[in-house]
Amino acid sequence: FRGGVPATDCAATGRPGTTLRAEQPQPVDTGPSSTPGGASSPGAAAAAPPSVAAAPAVAFDARPASERVAIYRQCGAQSYRRSDFSGAAGFYRKALDLSPPDEERAQLLSNLAACSLGATPPDGAAALLHAAAAIALAPSHFKARVRAARSLTLLG
């Protein structure tokens, strides 16, 4: 897990029939498991059973909505960091389609505003709409207010 969300392949996230595997802890190698004579030592670590070594595949649509929102948000953030603003916006929209709670919704709308501002050319009108919607849900959301101000500056 990274940030409480299972690591995912963002390129495959949300495709029909997609299955994702959650990361499982791997057994720790404690060194040689035998004595100089070749016999196993009593405290040697045994190999992990297959059920621990290979996590079961879980259909993406079968996961709880809150987990899917978190995965989409994580994938959107990864896309945003790569300056793939349209890809990030797509992930944030998918998360919004799952009807998250207001605080999460405000964050996603603010992130959409950031994507609109980062696009080439920047879309100040879309950014302002997203930022205003985020502020309506969470009036104290600082980043949404900054993005609304940047949008207004951009629009003149």
Side-chain angles (χ1 to χ4, degrees), residues 19-49:
T19 57
L20 302 173
R21 294 186 184 274
E23 291 180 349
Q24 290 289 331
Q26 297 299 316
V28 177
D29 183 12
T30 57
S33 61
S34 61
T35 59
S40 293
S41 62

Side-chain angles (χ1 to χ4, degrees), residues 12-146:
T13 303
R15 291 187 186 156
T18 300
T19 57
L20 302 173
R21 294 186 184 274
E23 291 180 349
Q24 290 289 331
Q26 297 299 316
V28 177
D29 183 12
T30 57
S33 61
S34 61
T35 59
S40 293
S41 62
S51 62
V52 173
V58 177
F60 185 74
D61 291 338
R63 293 175 182 258
S66 60
E67 188 175 324
R68 286 182 285 153
V69 166
I71 291 170
Y72 282 138
R73 186 172 170 189
Q74 175 188 19
C75 290
Q78 288 175 6
S79 295
Y80 186 89
R81 283 190 295 274
R82 290 190 316 267
S83 298
D84 177 10
F85 302 115
S86 64
F91 283 117
Y92 295 140
R93 283 189 190 98
K94 285 181 181 183
L96 284 167
D97 288 344
L98 297 171
S99 302
D102 285 352
E103 283 296 319
E104 182 90 18
R105 191 170 194 75
Q107 180 64 49
L108 291 164
L109 288 164
S110 178
N111 290 352
L112 274 174
C115 291
S116 297
L117 290 169
T120 305
D123 187 350
L128 182 58
L129 287 173
H130 295 308
I135 293 167
L137 291 170
S140 63
H141 195 289
F142 180 76
K143 285 185 178 181
R145 289 183 172 278
V146 169

